[in-house]
Amino acid sequence: MTPRFAEVIMPLPIEGTFTYSVPEELSSIVKIGMRVVVTFGTHRLYTGIIQYLHLIPPDTKNVKPIFSLLDEEAILIRPQLDFWEWMATYYMASLGDVYVAALPSGLRLENETLIRRNPEVDKTLSFSSRESRIWNAISEDRACSIQELIKRTESKHAVVWIKSLMDKKAVIVSQTITDTYKPRTISMVKAAFNKDNEQEVQTIFERLKRAEKQLSLLITYLDLSQLLSKQETKPVSKQTLLEKSGASVAVLNGLVDKKILQLYDQPVSRLTHEITTPLQEAASLNLFQTKAYQSLLDEWKTKQTVLLHGVTSSGKTEIYIHAIQKVIALGRQVLYLVPEIALTTQLTHRLARVFGSKLGIYHSKFNDNERIEVWKNLLHREGLQIILGARSSIFLPFHDLGLVIIDEEHETSYKQQDSAPRYHARDAAIMLAHLHSAKVLLGTATPSIETYQNALSGKYGFVELKQRYEGITLPRVASVDLKEAFRKKQTAGHFSDTLIEAISGALSRREQVILFHNRRGYAPYVECPQCAYVPKCKYCDVSLTYHKQQHKLICHYCGFSQPLPDRCPSCGNNSLKIKGLGTEKIEDEVSQFFPNAKISRLDLDVANTRKGFERIITAFEQHETDILIGTQMVAKGLDFANVSLVGVLNADVLFHYPDFRAHERAFQLLSQVSGRSGRKGKQGNVLIQTMDPNHAVLPQVIAHDYISMFRTQMKERYEFCYPPYYRLIVINLRHKDENTVHHASERLAKQLRKLFSDRVLGPEIPPIGRLHSWYMRTLLLKIESNRSSNAAKKMLKETIAELQAEAPFQSVQINFDVDPM
DNA sequence: AGCACGCCGACT
DNA sequence: GTCGGCGTGCTC
Ligand SMILES: [Zn+2]
Ligand SMILES: [Zn+2]
């Protein structure tokens, strides 16, 4: 078939695709998955993606042709486009949103508008003063971008004046598309003379008689390149030549000036790891690992997805490596997903030692050129077989995925939070694996409730690895009653005397200490200092959040609110405390108590760059620092050999997150930080400070009892209608006018209740109810797990379409968070 | 998302 | 009057 029309995905948050006609000269070469340049709107050029080709004219009158093709072959392959479509539907985002999230931005060429003076301008034209200002700002001989002109004229309204100049035909406006991808090149040296012409070679040596250094450099070059021998000429880089000859750049430039040697740029890959040692065999598995690996293979015979529940330090990574080897031996590919924060050099080096150049790393913080090279390498099957990557690596062009490993599957950072599509990389990766008929391995020491339920129900296979490495015992975990310590005045700052003594003890034995301190962010809560009571929503079972402006306690799920009580409803104490507002200076306190200890801090402020993060970690690893104070970051995927004590300063913050997963997450986090304590031969200690030593999660953490946590949580999830029994969809509404968004949300809630009755919660004012002059409301929809979520999403979309058909609500912006975390 | 169009108040 | 503010609607 000769296609006449193309459905093009645009990099914009608009529903659907746009139909462009295929010009005749392109009709034989266009293919699905190619990038095209198209005009969209008045002038703008965009890079779109061809989703379909067909023959059916659209019913719009104005069909534009494809402006040009950017690719000779498709840059996206079939499974990817199917995957995009699934993601857009499931997460209720537009295909354009998925496109923007999926493709490295360097492959999405940006439009640039250029303005130049019209050389044939009518000299009799008169300009207004503002027009002249623009005219004078345009360079005489060169085209300028709009941004340049705005800067030069210091006027935000330059655009309007450019337009009036354009109307007078005084300037020419053109659109260009610029490619930002630049291959890395190295400077190479080659001969500028004909080596087979003996005469010429002779003359050169004559000429260099009085230039001793140049002659010696030339000889080094001939030596390295074997130019005059019968063997094949070897390429020589400028750097090698200068190093081997010991000559300066000036000497080389002399030869270049004399047209004896010549420099040229050679593109090189950015993907080469520094592999100094030869590849190593994978470590062999111990008895327990072997057993686990065998049952893993057994489970895969009947199940696509298998949960590997292995305690910390049980050696899950070795099992992963063995599974990877098996899959790549068949010529298939592997995606190894880790949470962003766990993508450390510790891990990449470990894998690179075994897999060498078959291993590729992919990470959203990587520079775009590197990401493009990984993309193209996979696309053109140039050798990468294993991708170790964070969330966004699910979008890479895998031709034949055989295995997807999702490490730390319970990690909430797998969920994209801030912008659409709000996908969960674990769930999306399982779907991706399904499209490739690939196996999935979910690994964790503390499975998410949803995953564990799937494993118990038989939907997933299930393998347990309970044995830690020999000589490594689980740490001794204990809680410290802060309330009592305060009463007995056995505290200093945020520290109980018990914790301070434990730290001193560890330091005196030359052992290291990790202090875990979680920040609170935007959700302050209220606590009774006497009995540690924290008010909860009676409908949703989550902690109420204190709202300063309204001086109220509000449930951020259903919107239930109550005034701040005067007395504690539990013990009658009359001074409830607002927690989580202060900026605690833990670091200062520690250095005050332990003036001789070397202390470092690891949180988002300090470790906002990968390098900063690695530096702090390495220093602690090598015992250059004694105490590491950190947020969640210290809990993730880091192994330290000499840590004997982990102190949790304020576990209560974890217990009282206004989130139905608070209990689960507290268990996971406390178990994980505990796992940092104790190494070969030494049992570690963990001290958890809390105002509420009777909190149900504490005995579970202390006894390392995942099952009991799972059971109690499942009961609560059932009772209060949460996953895994229900699926959740958050509906966010925003508008510049508070009244409008208020009425829109009330109206939407009313309409939805007709369809979903009491499964609709809200509307509610979110913790940050106003963002950059936008007012927000949220609704929460709960759908029974056994009901079709597709049908529910369709009904939801229809209801919203009806709402937005009404004039005042047209401009209300609505987005969704499916399976929120 | 960007961009044009169109309506309205506030300055020359 | 016109300048420049912003709300509204459309883009194949
Ligand atoms: Zn509630
Ligand atoms: Zn009380």
Side-chain angles (χ1 to χ4, degrees):
Chain A
M1 152 196 122
T2 327
R4 295 192 44 224
F5 298 98
E7 293 306 312
V8 176
I9 306 170
M10 301 299 288
L12 301 168
I14 316 173
E15 279 299 297
T17 53
F18 290 81
T19 313
Y20 285 83
S21 64
V22 178
E24 214 160 302
E25 68 273 18
L26 297 181
S27 65
S28 63
I29 47 174
V30 280
K31 288 203 181 66
I32 287 170
M34 281 182 171
R35 293 176 301 162
V36 290
V37 177
V38 291
T39 58
F40 187 76
T42 37
H43 309 290
R44 258 187 108 74
L45 296 173
Y46 283 93
T47 307
I49 302 279
I50 299 183
Q51 194 197 18
Y52 293 111
L53 293 164
H54 59 87
L55 298 166
I56 311 145
D59 33 346
T60 39
K61 28 194 155 78
N62 200 18
V63 181
K64 292 182 184 173
I66 289 172
F67 188 77
S68 70
L69 284 181
L70 282 176
D71 300 308
E72 284 163 23
E73 55 182 297
I75 197 156
L76 288 158
I77 53 181
R78 188 76 246 175
Q80 287 177 288
L81 285 167
D82 294 341
F83 183 52
W84 285 19
E85 185 134 44
W86 169 81
M87 183 173 277
T89 314
Y90 186 87
Y91 290 105
M92 302 184 78
S94 75
L95 265 176
D97 285 329
V98 179
Y99 166 24
V100 171
L103 211 66
S105 54
L107 290 175
R108 210 179 61 237
L109 308 190
E110 289 290 341
N111 176 74
E112 200 182 18
T113 308
L114 293 177
I115 292 106
R116 81 184 80 231
R117 292 181 179 184
N118 184 352
E120 286 146 38
V121 64
D122 183 353
K123 292 281 186 328
T124 61
L125 269 179
S126 65
F127 292 157
S128 73
S129 67
R130 306 196 184 223
E131 284 171 344
S132 328
R133 235 170 90 195
I134 300 286
W135 175 262
N136 293 329
I138 305 174
S139 314
E140 270 176 46
D141 47 347
R142 195 173 61 81
C144 305
S145 72
I146 290 186
Q147 283 73 20
E148 265 176 290
L149 292 181
I150 289 174
K151 230 181 174 177
R152 284 184 203 170
T153 57
E154 288 169 358
S155 156
K156 276 183 264 174
H157 303 286
V159 182
V160 180
W161 302 104
I162 292 167
K163 209 175 156 306
S164 73
L165 283 172
M166 201 174 94
D167 292 341
K168 291 183 173 172
K169 298 213 164 59
V171 295
I172 301 169
V173 175
S174 60
Q175 306 283 324
T176 51
I177 281 243
T178 42
D179 195 343
T180 54
Y181 171 71
K182 288 202 176 54
R184 171 180 291 175
T185 57
I186 50 172
S187 199
M188 306 291 289
V189 182
K190 66 177 180 186
F193 53 88
N194 181 358
K195 64 166 178 142
D196 299 322
N197 184 338
E198 269 177 50
Q199 189 91 46
E200 196 178 335
V201 175
Q202 211 52 52
T203 328
I204 287 167
F205 279 99
E206 289 290 316
R207 277 174 68 199
L208 291 181
K209 256 190 181 153
R210 272 178 300 150
E212 203 181 311
K213 285 190 175 170
Q214 291 185 6
L215 182 63
S216 128
L217 181 65
L218 178 64
I219 290 169
T220 313
Y221 169 74
L222 295 176
D223 203 31
L224 289 170
S225 66
Q226 310 181 348
L227 188 76
L228 298 180
S229 74
K230 291 232 166 72
Q231 281 143 330
E232 199 182 338
T233 309
K234 286 185 181 166
V236 176
S237 75
K238 180 174 162 183
Q239 200 191 344
T240 333
L241 179 59
L242 292 178
E243 270 168 20
K244 294 271 162 162
S245 67
S248 70
V249 185
V251 179
L252 176 59
N253 286 344
L255 284 169
V256 173
D257 287 343
K258 285 181 182 156
K259 303 240 158 47
I260 295 168
L261 290 180
Q262 199 179 337
L263 294 174
Y264 67 101
D265 287 334
Q266 168 96 47
V268 291
S269 167
R270 291 181 169 85
L271 303 184
T272 46
H273 316 281
E274 282 173 40
I275 305 160
T276 43
T277 48
L279 294 193
Q280 289 170 11
E281 287 286 309
S284 57
L285 300 179
N286 67 29
L287 185 65
F288 303 102
Q289 289 170 319
T290 310
K291 260 176 84 183
Y293 182 59
Q294 279 310 325
S295 32
L296 178 62
L297 298 181
D298 279 348
E299 290 286 65
W300 269 335
K301 284 178 190 154
T302 53
K303 308 270 164 67
Q304 185 207 212
T305 303
V306 179
L307 167 64
L308 174 61
H309 183 195
V311 294
T312 40
S313 299
S314 57
K316 289 190 290 291
T317 314
E318 271 90 43
I319 297 184
Y320 298 163
I321 290 174
H322 279 254
I324 294 171
Q325 283 184 320
K326 193 175 157 75
V327 172
I328 62 171
L330 300 169
R332 304 187 76 191
Q333 296 171 308
V334 178
L335 170 59
Y336 182 164
L337 281 177
V338 290
E340 199 112 331
I341 191 114
L343 195 45
T344 55
T345 41
Q346 267 183 358
L347 179 62
T348 55
H349 286 169
R350 190 164 167 194
L351 291 173
R353 276 200 297 272
V354 180
F355 298 111
S357 60
K358 290 187 185 124
L359 176 72
I361 319 282
Y362 195 80
H363 193 279
S364 65
K365 298 244 164 60
F366 262 23
N367 106 15
D368 220 49
N369 289 327
E370 288 169 313
R371 301 176 71 204
I372 290 172
E373 287 185 17
V374 173
W375 186 288
K376 290 192 168 165
N377 186 303
L378 285 170
L379 185 69
H380 301 133
R381 304 173 197 259
E382 283 164 2
L384 288 183
Q385 255 185 302
I386 306 137
I387 296 296
L388 173 67
R391 204 170 57 211
S392 57
S393 43
I394 57 173
F395 293 114
L396 285 166
F398 296 103
H399 285 277
D400 182 17
L401 211 44
L403 170 64
V404 178
I405 295 169
I406 301 154
D407 193 28
E408 308 293 337
E409 80 51 56
H410 63 278
E411 264 301 310
T412 50
S413 65
Y414 277 127
K415 172 88 185 194
Q416 165 133 333
Q417 298 281 7
D418 32 13
S419 60
R422 294 176 173 77
Y423 64 94
H424 195 301
R426 180 234 297 146
D427 301 342
I430 292 172
M431 186 60 198
L432 180 71
H434 182 72
L435 292 173
H436 282 269
S437 308
K439 301 295 180 194
V440 179
L441 175 51
L442 302 172
T444 173
T446 49
S448 67
I449 299 280
E450 290 87 337
T451 297
Y452 203 74
Q453 169 61 18
N454 280 330
L456 290 191
S457 75
K459 188 179 169 194
Y460 294 169
F462 186 34
V463 176
E464 273 186 296
L465 186 55
K466 288 182 171 167
Q467 196 69 32
R468 293 184 122 197
Y469 280 127
E470 265 175 85
I472 304 178
T473 41
L474 286 167
R476 200 180 307 116
V477 185
S479 62
V480 179
D481 186 347
L482 268 186
K483 200 168 29 125
E484 192 172 302
F486 277 128
R487 210 178 52 232
K488 294 185 180 165
K489 304 213 183 323
Q490 294 168 338
T491 59
H494 292 81
F495 293 79
S496 62
D497 292 355
T498 317
L499 182 54
I500 291 179
E501 277 161 31
I503 297 172
S504 310
L507 292 178
S508 68
R509 291 188 299 274
R510 295 282 301 134
E511 292 161 353
Q512 287 170 291
V513 175
I514 292 177
L515 295 176
F516 175 71
H517 174 242
N518 213 30
R519 289 239 192 114
R520 183 62 195 192
Y522 278 99
Y525 63 100
V526 162
E527 184 184 73
C528 169
Q530 184 125 24
C531 73
Y533 171 82
V534 174
K536 278 188 167 185
C537 174
K538 52 189 163 190
Y539 308 108
C540 309
D541 196 39
V542 302
S543 302
L544 294 172
T545 300
Y546 173 67
H547 277 230
K548 204 175 172 182
Q549 302 90 325
Q550 303 163 64
H551 200 59
K552 273 181 174 175
L553 294 171
I554 298 179
C555 167
H556 110 194
Y557 279 18
C558 72
F560 166 79
S561 75
Q562 63 177 60
L564 196 66
D566 306 331
R567 315 183 150 269
C568 168
S570 174
C571 75
N573 173 38
N574 61 2
S575 64
L576 292 174
K577 269 200 172 148
I578 296 157
K579 304 273 282 195
L581 280 174
T583 46
E584 299 101 309
K585 292 208 161 63
I586 304 293
E587 199 179 356
D588 295 351
E589 288 184 13
V590 180
S591 52
Q592 199 185 318
F593 302 150
F594 306 102
N596 297 323
K598 286 189 216 74
I599 303 159
S600 64
R601 185 159 60 94
L602 187 67
D603 56 33
L604 274 177
D605 300 337
V606 185
N608 50 4
T609 64
R610 184 113 237 137
K611 275 205 175 134
F613 177 78
E614 301 269 357
R615 200 175 50 238
I616 292 164
I617 294 300
T618 313
F620 191 65
E621 248 173 2
Q622 297 174 351
H623 206 155
E624 286 160 26
T625 40
D626 304 306
I627 303 177
L628 180 65
I629 306 167
T631 54
Q632 315 228 353
M633 281 186 161
V634 299
K636 317 290 179 188
L638 299 164
D639 288 336
F640 304 111
N642 192 41
V643 174
S644 71
L645 175 67
V646 168
V648 179
L649 293 179
N650 52 348
D652 304 80
V653 160
L654 300 174
F655 304 159
H656 305 308
Y657 262 117
D659 178 341
F660 72 90
R661 279 185 244 261
H663 188 118
E664 179 190 351
R665 279 161 68 173
F667 181 88
Q668 287 163 344
L669 215 63
L670 291 175
S671 305
Q672 270 184 11
V673 279
S674 303
R676 304 301 128 220
S677 177
R679 284 295 152 207
K680 291 193 180 89
K682 285 190 260 183
Q683 187 180 28
N685 282 300
V686 180
L687 284 179
I688 302 173
Q689 298 196 137
T690 173
M691 294 290 288
D692 185 9
N694 296 320
H695 192 282
V697 79
L698 284 168
Q700 297 163 350
V701 172
I702 290 169
H704 308 282
D705 187 357
Y706 177 84
I707 305 283
S708 137
M709 187 282 289
F710 175 77
R711 293 219 181 96
T712 52
Q713 274 305 289
M714 284 297 276
K715 238 183 253 162
E716 289 210 4
R717 301 287 176 91
Y718 182 74
E719 203 175 324
F720 292 96
C721 305
Y722 287 120
Y725 296 101
Y726 288 78
R727 297 164 194 273
L728 308 185
I729 299 176
V730 173
I731 305 150
N732 298 304
L733 298 93
R734 49 176 218 157
H735 197 270
K736 297 227 170 180
D737 177 54
E738 177 144 40
N739 209 29
T740 310
V741 74
H742 176 76
H743 284 113
S745 61
E746 290 288 351
R747 175 61 161 279
L748 182 60
K750 196 178 144 203
Q751 295 303 111
L752 286 174
R753 286 204 172 95
K754 288 182 188 164
L755 300 166
F756 300 99
S757 66
D758 61 344
R759 297 282 102 97
V760 183
L761 281 77
E764 198 267 323
I765 306 174
I768 313 164
R770 214 177 93 187
L771 195 69
H772 312 303
S773 80
W774 289 91
Y775 289 88
M776 338 250 256
R777 291 292 185 278
T778 61
L779 295 177
L780 179 63
L781 181 60
K782 295 179 171 181
I783 304 160
E784 289 88 341
S785 285
N786 53 13
R787 240 175 99 171
S788 154
S789 76
N790 276 344
K793 284 171 193 164
K794 212 174 143 222
M795 279 153 73
L796 174 55
K797 282 217 159 164
E798 283 164 7
T799 313
I800 283 170
E802 275 169 37
L803 177 82
Q804 299 215 298
E806 290 177 53
F809 302 136
Q810 268 174 47
S811 50
V812 177
Q813 301 205 7
I814 299 178
N815 64 51
F816 306 94
D817 190 352
V818 177
D819 306 335
M821 296 295 276

